[in-house]
Amino acid sequence: MLAGYAPRTPRRAPRLLILGTAVALVGGACGSPPTPTSPLPGSVVPQATGGPSTSADYRDASLSPRARAAALLAQMTLDEKIGQMTQLENGSVDTAGVSQTQFLLGSVLSGGDGTPPENSPDAWYQMVDAYQQAALGTGIGIPILYGIDAVHGNSKVVGATIFPHNVGLGALDDPVLVKAIGRATAVEMNAIGVRWNFGPVVAVPQDVRWGRTYEAYGEDPALVERLSGAFIAGLQGTDLAAQDAVAATAKHFVGDGGTGWGSSTAQGSSIDQGVTSADDATLRSIHLAPYRAAIDGGVRIVMASFSSTNAGKVTGDHHLLTDVLKGELGFSGFVVSDWGAVDQVNADYPSAVAQSIMAGIDMVMVPYDAARFQAAVRQGLASGAISQARIDDAVLRILQVKFEMGLFEQPMPLAGRADAVGASADRDLARAAVAGSAVLLKAGAGVLPIAPSTGSVLLAGPAANDIGRQSGGWTMTWQGGTGPITPGTTIADGLRARLGDRLLYEENGAFDAGVSADVGIVVVGEFPYAEGRGDSATLALPPDEVALVAAMRPRVKRLVVVVLSGRPVMLDGVLETADAVVAAWLPGTEGGGLADVLLGDVPFHGTTPYTWPDTPEDAPRTGRGPCDGAVFPVGFGLDASGRPLGPAACPGATP
Ligand code: BGC
Ligand code: BGC
């Protein structure tokens, strides 16, 4: 146990407030005086004074997390309770001045673009530790939970291992490996002081035009269940309080992957955050199924979806959040809303807050303005729109998870483990995942694997030598980026390590006239994107990169095209021109894994986790047969000799 981390004796004032990364002592700044609060109706809540239950002490680690949460709840002021329900993004806590710092908080998050000024493991740890120390000095001293989107490795941190995005892991379909990735991710997260991961995405996308397709494992609910369950098990381990365990989040509840093209009203989106109008049976069989498995697998946090059903925004839907998730599915952890999603429930903010909380949201990802949120909760309580019982239930759930995580005993993971970030064992794991996730879509006879003894190999395409391009969105930043955004091995690096000087790389294919070779490789790819900005009506690859395929053709006997994408894309100008086509998805930092399959060290194993639609309009899949409007059915992939590893290509698909 770390010195100085013992929970403090309950006290009321003065309060310690978070001021940047420093902690300042300010007397009575938190507005109203402590408000006595009532216990949960109908529950046996130990009281602070009087009665036989006075012995219940939340600091007593021999009690159950539930009993400790109840004991603590009974001592809390209304300010403290509302504080636990508040999640702010780090910029709003850190830089927005004193007005944003005078609030008790249950959680701080780094959103897609939230990092410490210097993005290093140590700077992350110090930032989280500063928030934690400030929280421990505030009121009763309830530790915060710090959360990030570590959705393909500890993917916000420069130097971390970036694993393939989930689409690639779906192609690989190896639960043992996915569990190991969860474990590695948890260890790399603990090294930066963070114990809450906003993942896995358990969406079951039914239309690959969605900009979040790559965040999910695939279109088959059984596959999503299998792999998300493995990832949760890896993140959480067998004991949430154990050193290096991280709390997982199943998101986004429910139906985020079922929205219809054109149904979104979110700015810049067409399908992201839209409306899922599936009937109840379909909603359950496709979109709800993974939650049942995740809950059985011990997930303690669920994030509500931005999206709607025909009944309105899920974030304000009592039936789905309370009757179905907490009732029918028996979810006893807490529900966090998505980024500002509560604001979308009603144009009138206090009404939106009341509706969402009464629907079953326990913690609100505000994320900027805590004062406005906390005032809205108070207003709802005063008007009767929000019940005290609902607030108590929300806080009890949040506290219970914090006790289960051992945060009161050890609010911060061990310091000084920055070496774990990007550790070589994790990179080896990622490399194996990259090799295993590559899907061979076309395999001309004798084209692959490339014999290591081959002569010169011509390589073209800017994406062949770009860590940002091969990593996609949610890498360092929300939208991702291009170029050397974090250390790693590009596809070109990986090939060069094997072929040495025999690899001739021209980014734009501008080889000297007359240069030719037995083998040419062109890498073409989507540019990074996240969420609605990745919604695509065309599923098109950049035309100038596709043009490199035709330009390479006359120079080589055997032409291999590697496609980097977050989803099936249109392969005009690729499929008919190349001798072999490899879907590499978004492999992350370990591009060496591609060389491993291309050169035959590892056999091709991957199969597409999404139907490959014939046209963009064929993208919606619910209710359609495997080859209805498809080039390749879900589960399609070839071995190097061209034999299908799963179902055959759809009739007339491969030229
Ligand atoms: C996304 C979530 C994410 C959150 C925090 C939202 O925009 O929908 O998946 O966890 O931001 O970054
Ligand atoms: C944040 C993301 C969030 C998005 C939603 C971004 O600025 O970094 O976490 O998902 O906004 O609009």
Side-chain angles (χ1 to χ4, degrees), residues 111-113 339 474 478 531:
D113 292 324
W339 184 273
W474 294 107
W478 182 38
E531 299 190 43

Side-chain angles (χ1 to χ4, degrees), residues 7-8 38 142 171 231 234 258 276 332 337 355 361 500 542 552 566 596 637 645:
R8 290 171 175 59
S38 44
I142 300 170
F231 188 64
T276 296
S332 63
S337 59
Q355 184 180 332
I361 298 289
M552 181 73 94
D596 294 341
L645 296 163

Side-chain angles (χ1 to χ4, degrees), residues 109-114 149 273 306 338-339 368 474 478 531:
L109 87 146
S110 281
D113 292 324
D149 298 278
Q273 303 190 16
F306 275 122
D338 203 342
W339 184 273
Y368 302 115
W474 294 107
W478 182 38
E531 299 190 43

Side-chain angles (χ1 to χ4, degrees), residues 399-413:
L399 293 176
Q400 183 178 337
V401 172
K402 289 184 175 183
F403 280 111
E404 288 169 358
M405 293 181 70
L407 288 178
F408 288 80
E409 283 66 54
Q410 186 154 337
M412 285 297 291

Side-chain angles (χ1 to χ4, degrees), residues 77-131:
T77 65
L78 182 60
D79 279 349
E80 285 167 332
K81 291 179 181 181
I82 299 175
Q84 286 305 301
M85 298 171 72
T86 310
Q87 184 184 49
L88 273 199
E89 64 114 4
N90 64 337
S92 299
V93 183
D94 211 359
T95 58
V98 180
S99 66
Q100 280 296 325
T101 68
Q102 295 181 345
F103 300 94
L104 298 153
L105 302 174
S107 172
V108 178
L109 87 146
S110 281
D113 292 324
T115 58
E118 179 207 326
N119 191 339
S120 70
D122 285 334
W124 271 94
Y125 187 94
Q126 283 156 21
M127 174 181 78
V128 178
D129 191 39
Y131 288 128

